[in-house]
């Protein structure tokens, strides 16, 4: 009976260990970048003062960050804006998404959608930052690899980066990519 009880405890412990979710914690570099961006007024925190760098970031938030780093927040960018079916004029990010589109930072998805509440991937944030630097000319190859290669060559991301382009990124990862983008020498 005791032997059977020990086996059950071992099996239960194994199940608990296997079902434990690994939580991404912000790295020191991400925390530093996030705090620098907060100081610059680019990354804004939550009501409790935190940046929640471990949380995923949504596309609307990234559009706001991209427009902010270029100095176009609260400004109407000239040009024709694409109308996204899922971004009504009442949406908090309607203006920044329109500006990001006019600045050729973002394009949206087929069906004239933007998916403002959707998570953003590594490939997408890298693309936006390369576009923000105006370094998207003469790219060869398929997206997103072409943008990732350009980002590596100009210092937006580390040259040895092997992150899956479809990986959903956190606020901390985006903060680090934006910080590194701001440090790129033109």
């Amino acid at each position: 009976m005791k032997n059977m009880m020990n086996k059950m405890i071992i099996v239960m412990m194994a199940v608990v260990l296997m079902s434990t979710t690994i939580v991404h914690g912000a790295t020191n570099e991400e925390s530093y970048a996030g705090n620098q961006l907060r100081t610059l007024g680019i990354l804004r925190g939550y009501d409790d003062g935190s940046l929640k760098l471990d949380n995923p970031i949504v596309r609307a938030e990234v559009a706001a960050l991209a427009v902010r780093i270029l100095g176009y927040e609260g400004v109407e960018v000239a040009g024709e804006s694409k109308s996204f079916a899922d971004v009504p004029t009442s949406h908090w990010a309607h203006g920044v998404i329109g500006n990001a589109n006019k600045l050729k930072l973002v394009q949206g998805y087929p069906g004239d959608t933007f998916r403002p509440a959707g998570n953003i991937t590594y490939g997408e944030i890298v693309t936006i930052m390369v576009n923000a630097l105006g370094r998207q000319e003469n790219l060869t190859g398929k997206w997103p690899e072409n943008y990732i290669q350009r980002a590596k060559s100009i210092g937006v991301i580390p040259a040895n980066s092997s992150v899956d382009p479809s990986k959903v990124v956190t606020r901390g990862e985006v903060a680090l990519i934006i910080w590194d983008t701001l440090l790129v020498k033109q």
Side-chain angles (χ1 to χ4, degrees), residues 66 69-70 104-105 127-136 181 186:
I69 65 171
L70 294 177
K104 305 206 182 315
L105 302 176
T127 297
I128 292 168
M129 291 301 103
V130 169
N131 290 343
L133 290 171
R135 302 292 292 272
Q136 68 274 28
T181 299
Q186 291 288 345

Side-chain angles (χ1 to χ4, degrees), residues 59-156:
R59 295 173 49 77
E61 291 171 322
V62 172
L65 292 170
V67 167
R68 231 175 260 148
I69 65 171
L70 294 177
Y72 288 100
E73 182 178 40
V75 176
E76 180 63 31
V77 174
E80 188 176 332
S81 180
K82 184 176 188 175
S83 179
F84 295 107
D86 57 351
V87 185
T89 56
S90 61
H91 190 282
W92 73 266
H94 180 268
V96 295
I97 292 169
N99 280 348
N101 179 254
K102 289 177 192 176
L103 293 166
K104 305 206 182 315
L105 302 176
V106 299
Q107 296 177 12
Y109 291 98
D112 293 328
T113 61
F114 185 76
R115 302 179 192 162
N119 292 329
I120 195 157
T121 66
Y122 185 77
E124 290 170 331
I125 184 61
V126 167
T127 297
I128 292 168
M129 291 301 103
V130 169
N131 290 343
L133 290 171
R135 302 292 292 272
Q136 68 274 28
E137 299 299 321
N138 303 314
L139 289 171
T140 58
K142 292 173 57 177
W143 184 85
E145 290 82 12
N146 54 359
Y147 274 88
I148 289 172
Q149 288 308 311
R150 178 64 53 86
K152 287 178 180 182
S153 73
I154 61 178
V156 170

